[in-house]
Amino acid sequence: MSAPILKVRDLKRDYVISGGMFGKSKLLHAVKGVSFDVERGSTLAVVGESGCGKSTLARMLTMIDPPTAGTIEIDGEGIDIAAHGVTREMRQAVQIVFQNPYGSLNPRQKIGAVLEEPLLLNTSMSAAERRDAALAMLEKVGLPPEHYGRYPHMFSGGQRQRVAIARAIMLRPKLLVLDEPVSALDLSVQAQILNLLRDLQDEFELTYVFISHDLSVVRYIADEVMVMYFGEAVEHGTRDQVFSDPQHDYTKTLFAATPRADVESIKKRLAAKPAA
Amino acid sequence: MNNPDRSAVVLAESRNATRKMLAEFWFYFSQNRGAVAGLFVFIVLVIVALAAPLVAPHDPDVQYRDFFLTPPVWQEGGNSMFLLGTDAVGRDMLSRLIFGARFSLFIGLVVVGIALTGGIVIGVVAGYFRGWVDTVIMRVMDVILAFPSLLLALVLVAVLGPGLMNAMIAIAIVLQPHFVRLTRAAVLTERTRDYVVAARLAGAGNTRLMFKTILPNCLAPLIVQGTLSFSNAILDAAALGFLGMGAQPPTPEWGTMLAEAREFILRAWWVVTFPGLAILITVLAINLVGDGLRDALDPKLKRS
């Protein structure tokens, strides 16, 4: 395999929680020293319960928030937004898709404008070129060209998420961070979006950091899995390793917590019950 | 489909979407009967004001020396030349009211224009940057709000000197904090939304984020507040005019007309009643429109 496109070393992020007027302010360690590499064109899934630091990690990777300590390297280039700010090239290298498709699109912006905004701000393409690019991208994510001039509120959740994905890859980023991109969607739409993400990954050679709490989704899309627990990466390995032979206690608990509805497990559960 | 064909379809669809938004807005607005009536009155007022020289039967400043304090036409002693009677120096009331509409609408427009522009810029900056900028701006606004509005306007006019333009500036400054607070509150709720973060990741700078991304989503309450302030501005200008600090005679401004007619309240009811009615009707109509706009623009009140 080629050199890792994303190199994260000992990444930390603390939040100061003010204790109000009289209380003492506290320091919350949201991410406590996480390190990992992601290969080009592969998918790393980050799994963990709510509040374990997954989204904080995503915000640092996408340069929304600066890390408290540690380094992020994308394609060999170090990123330090606290010191230098973010350059245009770095912005273009990483994009994000948010969990909630209802909040991630500007309600006053037509879909065409949503897709063209990154091009308008980062390239010197003409209006006609931008429109062609936006229309082509709509087609790529499986939306008809008529949707170009519509407003977000005219779309369903799945369609909006397609638009959000299209916007994220307009600039052809190297790395796409997906922050629970399917957890707000119903199951059939989830499958469609996951398939779309796979197709796009092949076509644009994208690298995904896929954040999720849904193990079935992770099993479907991930190459590697990292399990986070209270801000620490407690387990990291290929998908098959982690799923077949979980090492850490928390990972085992996580798998055990997945509801199971096959006949075997129901019989076992009934047998385990004391006879009434 | 070949390319020009497709782009035509896309453009038509885009226009459709815009039209649909407008149609939806009108649907919710027209649910409110009072608002439609208010809008109708307001449009009539605007037309009358614009066409004042054509509509008015007389010049508003001409004094007919033979017709001091002529009562309205339907009352005994009325003259068909002066439909609403004349004032103490023989000027036609109707013509003066019609020309006065120009001043009132102009006052409303200018005051709301100044207050809205200033309020939006200051409010967006305060809400977007937070921190000490926010604190400083909001404390200054609190100080302005702490004064009784008319008193502050009076003080400002006293400093600037009486006159219509100074009165308008004073009223705009007094109304400004309301816009600042409203804008700031709206910006605070919008700035952490995902679409703002997404726009920032797309490379949008602070100015673009503030005014292109966030501001359009904060406009609904501002439009409502703007219409309501429009009527407030007219009222305050009339009050200042009545106190002699606004438009100076012989300007046919409604508040000034009221002030001039003070001494004739008992002898000639029409010289005070009609300017008062004009102010009342205008303010009422605009407030009704403002209510309708709130119904149509506030998603929380929508019934779907």
Side-chain angles (χ1 to χ4, degrees):
Chain A
M1 274 217 198
S2 57
I5 189 161
L6 177 68
K7 232 181 186 173
V8 173
R9 289 288 171 273
D10 206 24
L11 201 63
K12 286 180 187 158
R13 170 79 197 184
D14 301 337
Y15 286 109
V16 180
I17 300 173
S18 85
M21 201 184 286
F22 303 110
K24 263 171 102 179
S25 60
K26 282 187 295 187
L27 206 61
L28 178 88
H29 306 285
V31 175
K32 312 171 189 169
V34 173
S35 306
F36 58 89
D37 290 346
V38 185
E39 304 284 335
R40 187 185 302 272
S42 70
T43 302
L44 170 75
V46 180
V47 191
E49 59 190 5
S50 306
C52 71
K54 290 174 299 184
S55 290
T56 306
L57 182 67
R59 290 176 73 87
M60 287 191 286
L61 290 181
T62 45
M63 296 168 263
I64 300 169
D65 291 340
T68 310
T71 57
I72 304 172
E73 257 179 44
I74 292 171
D75 221 6
E77 270 185 82
I79 286 173
D80 188 2
I81 64 169
H84 311 296
V86 186
T87 63
R88 185 172 280 185
E89 293 75 43
M90 288 191 210
R91 278 264 184 261
Q92 293 189 26
V94 191
Q95 287 291 322
I96 189 169
V97 175
F98 292 103
Q99 173 178 12
N100 177 6
Y102 291 89
S104 63
L105 298 178
N106 187 342
R108 301 269 163 188
Q109 223 177 7
K110 288 181 178 173
I111 300 307
V114 171
L115 297 183
E116 284 174 17
E117 194 171 32
L119 297 178
L120 174 75
L121 294 167
N122 292 295
T123 65
S124 50
M125 288 163 94
S126 72
E129 284 173 325
R130 287 201 302 268
R131 209 184 64 199
D132 288 343
L135 286 172
M137 189 55 81
L138 272 181
E139 209 179 314
K140 288 247 161 61
V141 297
L143 294 171
E146 301 94 272
H147 289 179
Y148 177 87
R150 294 194 186 161
Y151 286 99
H153 72 260
M154 301 168 164
F155 290 89
S156 69
Q159 287 172 321
R160 286 172 190 229
Q161 203 61 306
R162 284 173 192 268
V163 174
I165 292 168
R167 170 180 59 192
I169 56 178
M170 276 312 273
L171 288 173
R172 307 290 145 96
K174 294 168 188 155
L175 179 69
L176 190 59
V177 176
L178 301 147
D179 190 359
E180 311 220 14
V182 294
S183 54
L185 307 172
D186 59 52
L187 279 177
S188 60
V189 182
Q190 278 193 8
Q192 291 170 14
I193 297 290
L194 290 174
N195 286 332
L196 171 69
L197 285 172
R198 274 202 159 168
D199 295 345
L200 292 173
Q201 183 165 38
D202 292 342
E203 185 169 350
F204 294 107
E205 295 177 330
L206 290 165
T207 308
Y208 290 156
V209 173
F210 191 100
I211 290 171
S212 182
H213 60 257
D214 188 337
L215 291 171
S216 53
V217 169
V218 170
R219 194 195 283 266
Y220 178 79
I221 200 154
D223 297 316
E224 286 191 46
V225 178
M226 185 168 86
V227 182
M228 281 184 79
Y229 184 57
F230 279 113
E232 280 171 279
V234 293
E235 186 148 0
H236 185 186
T238 64
R239 172 186 59 180
D240 297 336
Q241 265 174 7
V242 173
F243 271 86
S244 60
D245 184 22
Q247 297 296 315
H248 193 270
D249 279 347
Y250 174 68
T251 318
K252 288 174 189 161
T253 324
L254 198 65
F255 288 140
T258 315
R260 293 167 71 173
D262 54 313
V263 179
E264 273 307 301
S265 63
I266 291 174
K267 274 187 182 153
K268 217 191 265 173
R269 212 158 53 226
L270 284 175
K273 244 185 186 176
Chain B
M1 258 198 292
N2 56 13
N3 214 27
D5 226 26
R6 196 174 71 164
S7 67
V9 169
V10 167
L11 283 180
E13 187 62 30
S14 174
R15 272 197 298 277
N16 269 348
T18 312
R19 211 172 297 145
K20 216 166 149 192
M21 288 270 278
L22 288 175
E24 190 175 283
F25 166 76
W26 177 249
F27 170 78
Y28 283 110
F29 185 80
S30 59
Q31 295 292 88
N32 186 335
R33 291 287 172 79
V36 177
L39 184 67
F40 178 73
V41 172
F42 185 70
I43 289 172
V44 169
L45 257 169
V46 170
I47 293 171
V48 166
L50 287 178
L54 304 173
V55 180
H58 302 279
D59 188 299
D61 293 331
V62 169
Q63 303 177 0
Y64 295 90
R65 295 302 168 97
D66 303 333
F67 299 97
F68 292 155
L69 290 177
T70 311
V73 64
W74 60 86
Q75 216 180 354
E76 202 180 323
N79 188 318
S80 62
M81 252 177 83
F82 308 107
L83 288 178
L84 296 181
T86 60
D87 65 6
V89 286
R91 292 174 296 197
D92 179 41
M93 288 294 294
L94 181 60
S95 308
R96 285 180 71 71
L97 287 177
I98 288 173
F99 276 89
R102 285 188 147 185
F103 284 98
S104 289
L105 295 178
F106 177 67
I107 290 166
L109 214 63
V110 172
V111 168
V112 170
I114 298 174
L116 200 63
T117 323
I120 282 177
V121 172
I122 299 174
V124 168
V125 167
Y128 184 81
F129 287 110
R130 302 301 312 274
W132 65 268
V133 180
D134 185 27
T135 312
V136 169
I137 290 177
M138 291 322 287
R139 288 304 83 76
V140 172
M141 292 305 141
D142 284 346
V143 168
I144 299 179
L145 277 175
F147 285 101
S149 62
L150 196 59
L151 188 67
L152 181 61
L154 262 179
V155 170
L156 286 171
V157 173
V159 173
L160 297 169
L164 191 58
M165 198 61 221
N166 289 344
M168 288 194 290
I169 293 170
I171 296 166
I173 291 173
V174 169
L175 289 179
Q176 181 134 300
H178 297 279
F179 288 101
V180 175
R181 291 189 134 192
L182 210 58
T183 314
R184 173 177 171 270
V187 170
L188 283 186
T189 57
E190 293 293 328
R191 69 191 280 271
T192 50
R193 301 276 299 273
D194 282 344
Y195 72 85
V196 181
V197 179
R200 173 172 303 170
L201 279 184
N206 281 340
T207 320
R208 186 182 171 87
L209 282 177
M210 281 194 278
F211 294 103
K212 192 105 198 226
T213 309
I214 297 179
L215 185 59
N217 290 293
C218 305
L219 279 184
L222 287 171
I223 292 172
V224 176
Q225 178 71 22
T227 46
L228 298 178
S229 295
F230 197 99
S231 59
N232 239 336
I234 294 176
L235 268 183
D236 281 355
L240 284 180
F242 183 78
L243 294 171
M245 296 298 223
Q248 297 301 306
T251 318
E253 199 269 327
W254 294 339
T256 315
M257 284 168 71
L258 273 178
E260 288 172 49
R262 221 165 9 196
E263 16 182 330
F264 308 104
I265 290 180
L266 294 177
R267 269 201 293 145
W269 58 269
W270 56 93
V271 287
V272 276
T273 309
F274 291 128
L277 268 181
I279 296 172
L280 176 81
I281 290 169
T282 311
V283 170
L284 192 63
I286 295 170
N287 278 350
L288 285 174
V289 174
D291 274 353
L293 283 177
R294 172 155 48 209
D295 287 0
L297 293 174
D298 190 343
K300 283 183 217 99
L301 293 174
K302 275 190 184 164
R303 287 156 291 260
S304 61

